[in-house]
Amino acid sequence: MAVSKERKAELIKQFGKDEKDSGSASVQVALLTERIKGLTEHVKLHKHDYHTRRGLLMLVGKRRNLLGYIKRQNVETYRSLIKSLGIRDNIQ
């Protein structure tokens, strides 16, 4: 469920400005997407784990807010980010 150190470093390198850029919005969205994928698989197996479901919904909401911020700042960056992460475009 947690993102491994190696995978986290890969995502920071791919979406960040450099290896130490873990705070930019695009890196945060990429890391949240990895966590969401892991939790989604967990919730599929354990249908009655409502605490994890609530945490998953909170992560999805946080990612949605960050995506809205990225879209307001630069639409091209937003489009390339959602395409590379495989996220649907439903932010108004």
Side-chain angles (χ1 to χ4, degrees), residues 76-92:
E76 292 305 318
T77 305
Y78 169 77
R79 288 185 182 141
S80 66
L81 181 65
I82 63 170
K83 186 173 182 176
S84 63
L85 291 175
I87 300 173
R88 286 180 284 152
D89 183 15
N90 59 356
I91 308 293
Q92 270 71 26

Side-chain angles (χ1 to χ4, degrees), residues 5 9 14 20 26 28 32 34 41 44 46 50-51 54 64-65 67 69 72-75 77 81 83 87 90:
K5 286 184 181 181
Q14 182 179 358
K20 297 183 181 194
S26 56
Q28 289 183 45
L32 283 171
E34 283 294 312
E41 292 303 316
K44 284 180 184 177
H46 307 282
Y50 298 113
H51 295 321
R54 180 177 186 272
R64 183 183 169 104
N65 287 339
L67 283 170
Y69 168 76
R72 284 192 308 272
Q73 298 301 317
N74 190 347
V75 175
T77 305
L81 181 65
K83 186 173 182 176
I87 300 173
N90 59 356

Side-chain angles (χ1 to χ4, degrees), residues 8-90:
K8 187 174 183 178
E10 283 178 24
L11 290 172
I12 291 172
K13 188 174 181 180
Q14 182 179 358
F15 294 101
K17 297 177 186 92
D18 57 19
E19 305 79 50
K20 297 183 181 194
D21 179 26
S22 61
S24 66
S26 56
V27 172
Q28 289 183 45
V29 168
L31 292 173
L32 283 171
T33 300
E34 283 294 312
R35 286 183 64 194
I36 287 169
K37 286 179 185 176
L39 288 176
T40 301
E41 292 303 316
H42 174 82
V43 170
K44 284 180 184 177
L45 286 175
H46 307 282
K47 295 185 187 320
H48 297 288
D49 188 356
Y50 298 113
H51 295 321
T52 303
R53 184 180 307 271
R54 180 177 186 272
L56 174 63
L57 291 174
M58 289 171 62
L59 290 177
V60 170
K62 188 178 289 191
R63 182 180 71 178
R64 183 183 169 104
N65 287 339
L66 285 168
L67 283 170
Y69 168 76
I70 293 171
K71 189 173 185 180
R72 284 192 308 272
Q73 298 301 317
N74 190 347
V75 175
E76 292 305 318
T77 305
Y78 169 77
R79 288 185 182 141
S80 66
L81 181 65
I82 63 170
K83 186 173 182 176
S84 63
L85 291 175
I87 300 173
R88 286 180 284 152
D89 183 15
N90 59 356

